Structure formats: C-alpha cells, structure tokens
Amino acid sequence: MSVHGEAEGPIGGRAVARRRGPGPVRPALPARALATSRRYAALDLGTNNCRLLIAEARGSGFRVVDGFSRIVRLGERLSRDGVLSGEAMDRAIEALKVCARKLEVADVARARLIATEACRAAGNGAQFVDRARAETGLTIEIVDRETEARLAVAGCAPLIDDAAEGVLLFDIGGGSSEIVWLDLTSRYRLAGPALVHCIRAWTSLPVGVVSLAERHGGTKVDEAVFRAMVEDVLGLLSHVDPRGVLGEAVARGRVHLLGTSGTVTTLAGLFLGLKRYDRRQVDGTWLDHHQIDTLIAQLLGMDFEERVANPCIGADRADLVLAGCAILEAIRQRWPCERLRVADRGLREGMLMELIEGDRLKRHRDRRAAPCAAPTHA
C-alpha cells in the first residue's frame, strides 16, 4: 500500500518493483576524459549531505581513488517553508564546487550525479539544480524514490547474508526514508547489483532525520520526546504491509535488517568503541536486537554536549542521531528482526556498480557484434 497516496510497490502486495535502466548518465564536466579511462564517479546530494566517490573499475567491482563528504543541510527548514533556503543552497553550491574541481582532474570516463528528497520536495528544487549547473558546471539529476531505493539495494547487496530468505533494507535519509523488501527465496544465482531483481516491494516514508528532528526537537531528547518520535513514524508504517505478508516472512526468522545511514553507522561505531570513526571496521558489522536496545539507551542517556563530544557522532550529527534512532526503532517494532547488518555504503556505490556493469555489458555486446576478420589465402 502506498504511503500518502504515492504510486509505490506495495509491501505485502503482489507487485514486483520494475527493473529500470541506470537512467541518464552524463559527463561530470564538459567531456575531457580520455576514452580509455576506466574511472567512474558518483555524487549523491541529499537532504543533509553532499557525497562524492571517484573509483577505478577492478574486475566486477571497483577501487576508490578519491572521495568527498560534507554536511550541507540542504533541507534545513524545508518541512516548514516548502523551499530550499538561500543559506542552505549556498552551502550546497560550495560543496559542489569542491566536487567539480575533483572531477575535473580525475580523468573520469562516466559519472552519475543525483539529488534526492530535498530537491524532489522543494518548490525551488529544479531552480536550484539549474543554478548548480550554471555555477559549477555539474548536471545533477533529481531522481524519484523508486530509483533511490533500487540504487541503495545495488550498493548494499554485497552485505546480504547468503543464508537469508529475505532482507529488509532501509535507508534513513535527511528528508525521507526508503524501505525495500528483498525476497531471496528464488534468487537462484543472482548476486551483487543483480539482486535488484529480488525486490518484492518498496515504500518511501516522507520523514527523515532532519524533518523529524525539526518537528520534535533534536537537542534535548528525553524518553518522552523519543517515544513521540517513534509513534510519529509508526503512524506512517501502519499503512505499509496491510496484509501482513512481510510480517509473516519476518516471523519465520530468516529475514535480517540491512541498514544504510548515518544512524546505523553511528550505532556501530559506539558498539565497537571507536575512538575515531573507521569505515573499514563499521561496514558489515552485525548487531543483534539486544545490542541495539543497549546502544539506543546509551544515546538517550547522553545530553547534547556528550553527543557532540563523542567521536562517532560529533557536532554535525548530535541533534539528528536520536531522530534516526526513532525511525530505526519504529521499523524494528513493526518488523522485529533478530539481526541488523550495518552498511557504510549506499547510493554512490550503487551508481558506480551500475555504471561499471553497464560498460562491461556494452563491451561484451560490441565484441560479439564485431565482424570476424576475413580469411587470408596463400
């Protein structure tokens, strides 16, 4: 059932998410890359962050050669005003200028640059994208929620437990949260990005860490405020899986959660006791439901200054992390899976995998279509 009347694949219904192509792929800047380059780039401009990855294709995967991440809070006050503010757009443009400089010198063959919920929802989102093109030279594509969900699956697929019958993947964003059900009972030999074919259903909640924190407050969050946040999200989830089909799959015990967001990576960093955030240790971490309960209680026991001082949270996330935990808690209450796997990867990795796989298939087709050399005669 769709949320707020949006056309979506219903979790619990019979519709299977359509497999679309990777969408328009444009050069990051006026084409300067060599035709032989095997470097690719992916940029994700979200409600809270601007992130860039530049990578070289390596076999069926890639090796990261450069990256960039900056919290820009593009969606600040968007839920109240309905438009992107001038200050927020300025912050995002400055971050995009850094990305443009990196792309200009990176010899990138192909790139995909996307914007998500903030630009989708804002009344001036399209105008901002036009401004970004004029001031940075970057052509940014505003993607729909189905595309966002599919890219999250493509990016996180390597972390799916091979023994699982299903996976409930969620991506807690700044302005929206995507939830995808992967039914793996008939996966056959599908692996990696091809697991998008196992998408049984998906939905997008019109709430993320920024919008929820702005609604309830993110600085002083006690148990009462936290419960109110959880109830807010549970109200949205009540429209999802009306027939209880996903709930039945979860009850059989062979479905695990797979989370990608700053919320779950923060929880993993706390669990590991990191003195400094380390993606290599966090990505792929397993947490059981008791450990998650303990970590959320630990965060609720911190005041704002303690959250700021924690190396896995910091000043940029201190007012958002409990809103993210509330979204996670609502998902856990709706579908109580025993295990959660943490992914420090997502849309950018999904874009890179689709770009690389698309080029690989094109080269294969070109080789098969090439005429055979004419035989020589003595």
Side-chain angles (χ1 to χ4, degrees):
M1 180 175 181
S2 65
V3 177
H4 286 210
E6 294 164 348
E8 299 166 346
I11 289 182
R14 299 181 62 186
V16 177
R18 298 183 302 279
R19 174 67 171 98
R20 295 179 178 173
V25 178
R26 306 173 177 90
L29 290 168
R32 298 180 55 181
L34 299 176
T36 57
S37 174
R38 296 197 67 209
R39 283 191 175 182
Y40 299 82
L43 183 145
D44 169 22
L45 178 61
T47 301
N48 200 42
N49 291 278
C50 176
R51 298 186 178 101
L52 172 72
L53 273 185
I54 300 172
E56 291 179 347
R58 292 291 176 91
S60 60
F62 59 84
R63 181 182 71 87
V64 174
V65 297
D66 198 6
F68 173 78
S69 179
R70 180 180 294 176
I71 292 179
V72 295
R73 300 207 177 198
L74 181 59
E76 188 174 63
R77 300 196 303 274
L78 173 60
S79 60
R80 185 191 70 187
D81 300 336
V83 294
L84 305 174
S85 72
E87 296 87 350
M89 289 189 288
D90 289 344
R91 290 194 298 267
I93 290 292
E94 290 306 308
L96 290 171
K97 287 178 179 177
V98 176
C99 295
R101 290 193 293 270
K102 287 180 173 289
L103 289 165
E104 188 172 11
V105 300
D107 187 27
V108 171
R110 296 180 70 199
R112 190 172 186 189
L113 321 176
I114 68 168
T116 56
E117 182 63 18
C119 289
R120 275 197 303 260
N124 58 347
Q127 291 90 333
F128 169 74
V129 166
D130 290 341
R131 176 187 166 188
R133 184 188 301 112
E135 295 188 25
T136 70
L138 302 180
T139 299
I140 299 173
E141 165 197 1
I142 302 176
V143 297
D144 60 29
R145 288 170 174 170
E146 181 177 353
T147 299
E148 187 174 354
R150 191 197 74 239
L151 289 172
V153 171
C156 296
L159 296 180
I160 291 173
D161 186 349
D162 289 337
E165 292 182 356
V167 169
L168 189 62
L169 183 148
F170 60 89
D171 182 358
I172 301 173
S176 69
S177 297
E178 277 57 54
I179 302 174
V180 186
W181 176 19
L182 295 169
D183 184 351
L184 304 176
T185 55
S186 58
R187 67 185 290 179
Y188 189 47
R189 295 182 179 178
L190 294 176
L195 285 175
V196 296
H197 295 292
C198 295
I199 295 176
R200 174 78 174 268
W202 68 279
T203 194
S204 181
L205 303 182
V207 65
V209 295
V210 174
S211 53
L212 194 63
E214 287 181 348
R215 192 178 309 162
H216 293 273
T219 302
K220 296 181 179 179
V221 181
D222 57 19
E223 291 189 5
V225 172
F226 186 75
R227 283 197 302 271
M229 288 182 178
V230 174
E231 290 300 322
D232 202 344
V233 181
L234 281 171
L236 297 173
L237 290 176
S238 66
H239 302 285
V240 182
D241 190 28
R243 300 178 186 175
V245 180
L246 174 55
E248 291 175 3
V250 170
R252 289 193 291 270
R254 300 295 295 276
V255 176
H256 73 81
L257 295 173
L258 177 56
T260 171
S261 69
T263 297
V264 294
T265 57
T266 295
L267 290 176
L270 289 172
F271 171 72
L272 295 169
L274 300 181
K275 300 302 182 184
R276 180 179 180 183
Y277 186 82
D278 184 348
R279 179 192 182 277
R280 292 170 297 179
Q281 295 189 61
V282 166
D283 188 49
T285 297
W286 285 100
L287 299 172
D288 65 34
H289 71 283
H290 294 300
Q291 290 164 338
I292 298 170
D293 287 343
T294 300
L295 291 166
I296 292 176
Q298 180 180 341
L299 282 169
L300 275 170
M302 296 180 183
D303 61 25
F304 180 71
E305 288 72 23
E306 289 174 314
R307 297 198 300 271
V308 169
N310 188 284
C312 293
I313 305 172
D316 288 332
R317 297 186 184 277
D319 62 336
L320 303 177
V321 64
L322 283 167
C325 288
I327 296 172
L328 169 59
E329 180 60 22
I331 293 171
R332 294 174 64 223
Q333 289 186 23
R334 187 74 171 86
W335 299 291
C337 297
E338 285 294 314
R339 298 186 303 155
L340 161 67
R341 196 165 202 188
V342 174
D344 189 342
R345 59 180 76 194
L347 302 185
R348 295 172 301 164
E349 289 82 0
M351 286 185 277
L352 289 172
M353 292 302 297
E354 288 197 345
L355 289 172
I356 292 167
E357 179 67 8
D359 273 3
R360 187 189 68 81
L361 292 174
K362 182 179 183 299
R363 289 193 299 271
H364 179 69
R365 288 193 300 267
D366 289 347
R367 283 195 299 269
R368 295 191 63 178
C372 295
T376 58
H377 299 281

